[in-house]
Each structure stands twice: as structure tokens, then as C-alpha cells.
Amino acid sequence: MARQSRPMDTDSTGNSGHPGSHASTGAKHGPRGYQLKFTKNWEHPDRSTLALVRDGMPVKTYRAGSGVGVTDECRSNRGWLPSGTYQVKGHQTNRNSAIKGYAIQLSDKKCRPKEGKTAVKRGDLFIHSEMTKNGGRGSTEPTRWDGDGDYKSLGCIKLTPADIKDLFSRLAAAHWPKDLTLQVN
């Protein structure tokens, strides 16, 4: 009997990720369970990636942005997230503050400053999109996703509305792991 292969998921940029680990080879692929991984694109911060990882293998990868093009991790409300590990503190699908709709709240993080600079504690950090409180498309900024320029953020991670809804769906299917972390590098 022929062995069926599982299809690979693709993200909004056309990248693919393997749907699981290689149990048949016994290869170790990293930590067990689910994790989020943000990989910085130093040349184009708005073309970074956020991956949902299970047992060390990418399940789904999304195009993501962080900051407004400033790669300084210590620039509050301008630079991207500091490198390191974050705890996922919570998630909402109907957030109604400056960040609306679907949002994943992250723990605070102190940045690693450049030589001669002071470390800054970065707070109010989220993975989110631009949408209305109910997850719809608004008629004006900041509740309407208009394209590439909307990947820029005030230091959070931003995804398209469709991508954050997909991420929420996958994490809901995994029963929102209690020990979910975000690794930024």
C-alpha cells in the first residue's frame, strides 16, 4: 500500500512549513509542544516571519512585521521586539482599546542596549493586526488593513487579519497551550 504524504502548509508569502516532526527517523527537532517563533529580517523588518512551531518543527509560517523600520530594540514605540523568550500572557478575539480585535498579549521584556545606551523595559507588547473590535474590516485606520504598510507597528508583531485569525484557529485546535512562549531572534 502506498504511503500518503501530508500536504505542507503555506503562508501568505508562499513559504512552506512541514506539518509535523519526523517520528519515523527518531530525529530530535527541539522543544516538545507548541511555540511561536519570530525571525527578524534585518534588511526589511516588515518582511520578518512568525512561525507556529510544534515539537520543534514549523507548522505554519506567516509574514510579519515589527516596529516602523527601526531595528533598535530599545526604541519604545518604534523599534522591533527585543530578542529573547516571552511568555504568552493571554489572548482575545474582541479587544477594544488601541489594539482592537484579535490580540495575543506578551510579557514585558528589557532590551539589550547598544554600547553606551541604557536598557529600556518594553511593555504593552502584542501579536495583532488592524481590525475592528469584532475582527472585521474598519473604514479607517487603524482598523482597516490596507497592505504592506500595515505590517509596521509601534513595537509589536503584526500579521494580516486573515493570518492572525488562522493562527488563533490553530492555537484553539491545540487548546491554547498553557505554557506557550514566543522566541524572538
Side-chain angles (χ1 to χ4, degrees):
M1 181 158 120
R3 189 173 157 195
Q4 288 186 327
S5 63
R6 296 189 317 186
M8 294 179 74
D9 287 322
T10 58
D11 64 12
S12 60
T13 61
N15 294 328
S16 62
H18 194 280
S21 63
H22 296 285
S24 63
T25 65
K28 303 255 189 239
H29 295 291
R32 304 256 331 132
Y34 285 91
Q35 179 183 35
L36 297 168
K37 183 176 181 183
F38 181 71
T39 304
K40 297 174 179 179
N41 180 331
W42 287 89
E43 291 182 26
H44 302 284
D46 63 335
R47 290 194 173 110
S48 298
T49 59
L50 178 71
L52 174 61
V53 177
R54 182 175 184 194
D55 297 335
M57 296 295 296
V59 173
K60 179 83 177 205
T61 302
Y62 308 93
R63 178 181 171 185
S66 180
V68 293
V70 176
T71 59
D72 181 353
E73 297 179 350
C74 292
R75 292 279 306 272
S76 291
N77 296 327
R78 306 225 22 101
W80 55 20
L81 259 62
S83 297
T85 302
Y86 295 76
Q87 297 298 315
V88 170
K89 293 172 59 176
H91 61 279
Q92 293 177 276
T93 58
N94 61 348
R95 187 172 170 81
N96 193 24
S97 62
I99 294 171
K100 298 189 182 317
Y102 288 63
I104 299 172
Q105 186 173 9
L106 306 171
S107 57
D108 296 347
K109 176 68 77 183
K110 204 171 218 183
C111 69
R112 285 183 260 149
K114 295 179 182 177
E115 191 173 330
K117 301 287 183 179
T118 304
V120 174
K121 184 177 180 182
R122 302 278 306 276
D124 294 323
L125 303 173
F126 295 88
I127 300 170
H128 67 99
S129 188
E130 290 191 5
M131 57 181 49
T132 63
K133 174 188 178 215
N134 299 320
R137 180 181 168 92
S139 58
T140 60
E141 289 291 332
T143 61
R144 182 186 69 224
W145 189 273
D146 293 319
D148 283 351
D150 288 326
Y151 282 103
K152 294 181 177 176
S153 73
L154 300 179
C156 294
I157 295 175
K158 282 178 74 179
L159 304 171
T160 67
D163 285 348
I164 197 158
K165 287 177 180 180
D166 182 78
L167 177 61
F168 265 68
S169 174
R170 290 170 186 274
L171 287 169
H175 307 288
W176 278 95
K178 302 285 184 247
D179 59 350
L180 186 63
T181 60
L182 167 70
Q183 180 64 42
V184 176
N185 59 20

